[in-house]
Amino acid sequence: MMRLRLTSLPQRSLLQVTTVVVVALAGMALAANVSGWLAALLVLVLMIVVSAGFDLIARSTVRSRPTWDRFILPNLLVVGAALFLRLVASGGGVAAGLALFGFLLVLVVWAEQHDWRGATDRRWSTLALLVIGYVVVFALYAAIYQTKVRTLFNAPAIVAVTMLIAVRLLRLTDDLQPYLRLAPYAAFAGLVVGEVTWALNYWPLNGLLGGAFLLTVLYFLVQVLSQHLAGRLTPRTLAEHGAISLLAAVLILWRRL
């Protein structure tokens, strides 16, 4: 059974986690009620605060500087929450979204430092990071797709998000893979999802359905690429992941009909 053992963190680190989460929640609540350049500035400040706090927590628990890919999930979580909260109309929905954001932020910090410490059993922390990664990228896909701007603008954003999250997800499956080897695979995933985004722009899908469809594409790519990197990709594995992704895509499109 998974247990979030924040008590395993030093007392000083617990205080740091609490401070970062409280500041992030306050800033996110403010960002949800403003727009334009002020909202963008607030999100940028929140990313800096969360990154600095995460770095400080990691240094105090692991005694070393975290690698750059470990900053991907916390920062994408901030951006994804800020964008997704704009899709929520009701005050209750915003409150629930803020609560979920705070919980996921705590979980990301715990899971990343637990994974970085090289704990004997990292299954739960890795699973938590994988799940959070897919949740965050869904929020980003949905928010970006909902804008319904021209492909020239939303596709590059989708590609950039996909490349970043692909690097982190692939590193979670094998943290010994060098970045230079992962870069072409992440770029490939980004380009494929970007091409799918271009095609989806001609479909009458809302942000949630469009984001869910893109998520199924990313899931398939990450699973196949991770198996390929590990040297375990077989026709059977390819067919299994393809069937799961195809079924999910059909259900999403059927929901639209």
Side-chain angles (χ1 to χ4, degrees):
M1 181 179 178
M2 181 180 176
R3 289 179 291 181
L4 182 58
R5 294 182 177 178
L6 287 178
T7 53
S8 64
L9 292 172
Q11 185 175 2
R12 181 180 177 183
S13 296
L14 283 174
L15 179 60
Q16 293 168 346
V17 171
T18 303
T19 303
V20 170
V21 172
V22 169
V23 172
L25 281 172
M28 191 61 65
L30 183 59
N33 290 284
V34 297
S35 59
W37 66 268
L38 184 56
L41 180 61
L42 277 172
V43 172
L44 179 60
V45 171
L46 283 177
M47 292 173 65
I48 295 173
V49 169
V50 169
S51 296
F54 177 71
D55 182 67
L56 186 63
I57 294 166
R59 287 171 180 265
S60 63
T61 55
V62 188
R63 306 298 181 185
S64 64
R65 186 179 182 85
T67 53
W68 70 269
D69 63 296
R70 295 184 182 276
F71 290 89
I72 292 176
L73 275 182
N75 281 284
L76 288 184
L77 176 59
V78 170
V79 178
L83 293 177
F84 194 79
L85 283 176
R86 296 187 173 277
L87 301 180
V88 182
S90 65
V94 172
L98 287 173
L100 179 60
F101 166 69
F103 171 74
L104 291 179
L105 186 57
V106 172
L107 192 57
V108 164
V109 172
W110 167 80
E112 286 287 10
Q113 67 84 26
H114 186 271
D115 186 75
W116 182 238
R117 282 190 303 174
T120 304
D121 187 1
R122 298 189 298 176
R123 291 176 300 171
W124 290 116
S125 59
T126 300
L127 177 61
L129 291 172
L130 285 170
V131 172
I132 293 172
Y134 285 117
V135 170
V136 168
V137 80
F138 165 71
L140 285 164
Y141 283 166
I144 295 172
Y145 188 80
Q146 181 66 26
T147 60
K148 293 294 184 180
V149 296
R150 295 174 56 188
T151 304
L152 181 63
F153 299 104
N154 70 357
I158 293 290
V159 170
V161 167
T162 303
M163 290 177 64
L164 286 172
I165 200 67
V167 169
R168 189 67 192 110
L169 294 178
L170 290 174
R171 284 275 292 180
L172 283 172
T173 59
D174 186 358
D175 58 3
L176 297 180
Q177 291 289 348
Y179 295 113
L180 288 179
R181 189 183 182 197
L182 292 179
Y185 293 93
F188 172 76
L191 290 175
V192 171
V193 177
E195 287 293 329
V196 174
T197 303
W198 174 79
L200 279 184
N201 281 337
Y202 294 95
W203 283 66
L205 297 177
N206 60 31
L208 295 178
L209 292 179
F213 191 93
L214 293 175
L215 182 64
T216 63
V217 177
L218 175 68
Y219 171 81
F220 172 75
L221 291 171
V222 169
Q223 294 302 314
V224 171
L225 292 176
S226 63
Q227 292 294 321
H228 173 71
L229 285 167
R232 297 193 299 264
L233 183 61
T234 63
R236 179 179 178 179
T237 304
L238 183 63
E240 289 176 352
H241 291 304
I244 294 173
S245 300
L246 180 61
L247 177 61
V250 169
L251 289 175
I252 292 168
L253 294 178
W254 175 79
R255 178 69 178 81
R256 176 62 185 84
L257 298 177

